[in-house]
Amino acid sequence: MEILGIEIGNSESKQSWSDFFRHLKERGLKGVDFVISDQHGELVKAAAIYFQGPTWQRCQAHFIRNILSACPKHLQKSLNSYLRLFLKLLI
């Protein structure tokens, strides 16, 4: 993995993400086939506009955190172990 850019935005709006992606493309980024992010809808929309046709995948860390936050505290440790094992089997 590699950090492609860092930018401060006023929000996580479609416009903010569009500005960020436009800047990356102006610097020469091309051939984006895969985007991994949290489930932020505006980021996904902007990525689809600036990188035509990429596959989008939900970040596994965010996915697990969201599931665990809805789980009773006393079950979180064991559920976390099961989820990580399950995700490894998928890869």
Side-chain angles (χ1 to χ4, degrees):
M1 288 204 281
E2 182 178 339
I3 296 174
L4 300 177
I6 297 173
E7 191 171 313
I8 297 173
N10 291 330
S11 67
E12 288 196 62
S13 68
K14 183 178 170 188
Q15 184 61 51
S16 292
W17 285 113
S18 294
D19 293 344
F20 180 69
F21 293 146
R22 182 176 25 260
H23 176 71
L24 291 176
K25 287 185 78 169
E26 287 170 356
R27 290 179 37 221
L29 180 64
K30 57 186 171 198
V32 175
D33 296 319
F34 202 64
V35 175
I36 300 172
S37 71
D38 62 2
Q39 185 120 12
H40 197 284
E42 300 304 308
L43 181 150
V44 175
K45 289 176 190 174
I49 292 168
Y50 283 87
F51 309 115
Q52 285 75 34
T55 299
W56 175 80
Q57 178 181 315
R58 176 115 185 254
C59 169
Q60 291 178 3
H62 285 97
F63 179 68
I64 290 173
R65 275 189 230 140
N66 291 149
I67 290 172
L68 294 176
S69 70
C71 174
K73 192 108 174 132
H74 71 280
L75 297 175
Q76 288 180 359
K77 187 174 181 178
S78 60
L79 180 57
N80 186 31
S81 298
Y82 287 120
L83 288 170
R84 292 187 184 283
L85 177 62
F86 177 73
L87 290 173
K88 282 183 184 178
L89 293 173
L90 291 177
I91 294 175

